[in-house]
Amino acid sequence: AIEPCNPGVAEIAPAECGGEEPQDCSISLWTEWSKCTAPCGGGQQSRKRELLAASKGGGKPCEDSLMVTAPCNTQPCEAVVCQDCQWEEWSDWSECTECGGQHTRHRSVLELPNSCGKPCDMRSTMEVSTCTSACEEISFCGWTEWTDPKCSGRCGQSTTMRSRELLLSQDASVDYLFKAASDAQCRGT
């Protein structure tokens, strides 16, 4: 037999047992809906309520949810036109670094892309090219070989003479004094 102060399921303990008064679950009212997570194309919003008092003493338990989520702004978004990166015109080519060297030109970003546009490839900000201009010929100013001595052909003591000149040459193997452009002056004896 069941003791009177130990009631079965759905039975209430007699008041003389000192049991609690039955209290049903109590829940607050719903809050306002939250802000939608997307302006268009379908988002979510939620609202909630709080437990004010739990059931006790055999009162009716809580059975409702405390939070609800619902779709919002389900209308389609306007079509977004993708804007690709736009470049300014190229600058003029720089001077050549040296004869047969390189020169460069630059450009800047005119307009950045939007979220769906093609990004700017930053390697496209500068171009390097080999110079194709005609280079000046380099000449070398150096001494010529000595001439053969000239002898008068008389017997006895005589003086002989030999000479050499400073001239421009294309031959880099000569023992030269300095490098020069083809039209430079290089004279001497």
Side-chain angles (χ1 to χ4, degrees):
I2 296 179
E3 301 278 329
C5 287
N6 289 323
V9 177
E11 292 180 350
I12 297 175
E16 61 269 5
C17 291
E20 296 180 285
E21 279 290 314
Q23 179 179 327
D24 292 341
C25 171
S26 176
I27 299 175
S28 70
L29 296 175
W30 289 107
T31 60
E32 294 293 319
W33 284 102
S34 66
K35 184 177 175 184
C36 190
T37 58
C40 59
Q44 293 182 339
Q45 61 184 4
S46 60
R47 64 181 182 168
K48 62 183 179 178
R49 54 188 177 177
E50 295 179 5
L51 177 66
L52 297 176
S55 64
K56 61 181 177 180
K60 182 178 172 189
C62 299
E63 295 177 355
D64 293 329
S65 60
L66 297 177
M67 185 169 166
V68 207
T69 302
C72 57
N73 294 340
T74 57
Q75 76 279 8
C77 296
E78 292 181 29
V80 175
V81 176
C82 294
Q83 172 64 48
D84 293 341
C85 174
Q86 298 292 314
W87 291 99
E88 289 181 347
E89 294 297 317
W90 286 104
S91 67
D92 292 333
W93 285 102
S94 68
E95 295 295 319
C96 291
T97 55
E98 61 185 38
C99 182
Q102 295 179 327
H103 56 171
T104 59
R105 65 181 185 168
H106 302 270
R107 65 180 177 174
S108 299
V109 174
L110 179 64
E111 188 172 340
L112 290 169
N114 63 7
S115 61
C116 62
K118 181 180 173 188
C120 302
D121 178 3
M122 291 321 227
R123 291 177 295 175
S124 299
T125 61
M126 182 174 78
E127 283 187 334
V128 178
S129 178
T130 302
C131 293
T132 56
S133 58
C135 297
E136 288 184 5
E137 281 190 32
I138 300 294
S139 295
F140 303 90
C141 181
W143 291 105
T144 61
E145 294 295 321
W146 287 103
T147 60
D148 290 331
K150 294 180 183 172
C151 186
S152 62
R154 291 183 295 178
C155 292
Q157 243 183 353
S158 67
T159 303
T160 59
M161 212 169 161
R162 62 183 187 158
S163 65
R164 64 181 184 170
E165 296 180 89
L166 275 176
L167 291 177
L168 284 177
S169 169
Q170 302 300 318
D171 184 8
S173 67
V174 299
D175 186 20
Y176 63 89
L177 299 174
F178 59 88
K179 289 182 187 179
S182 306
D183 58 352
Q185 299 293 320
C186 172
R187 292 187 197 157
T189 55

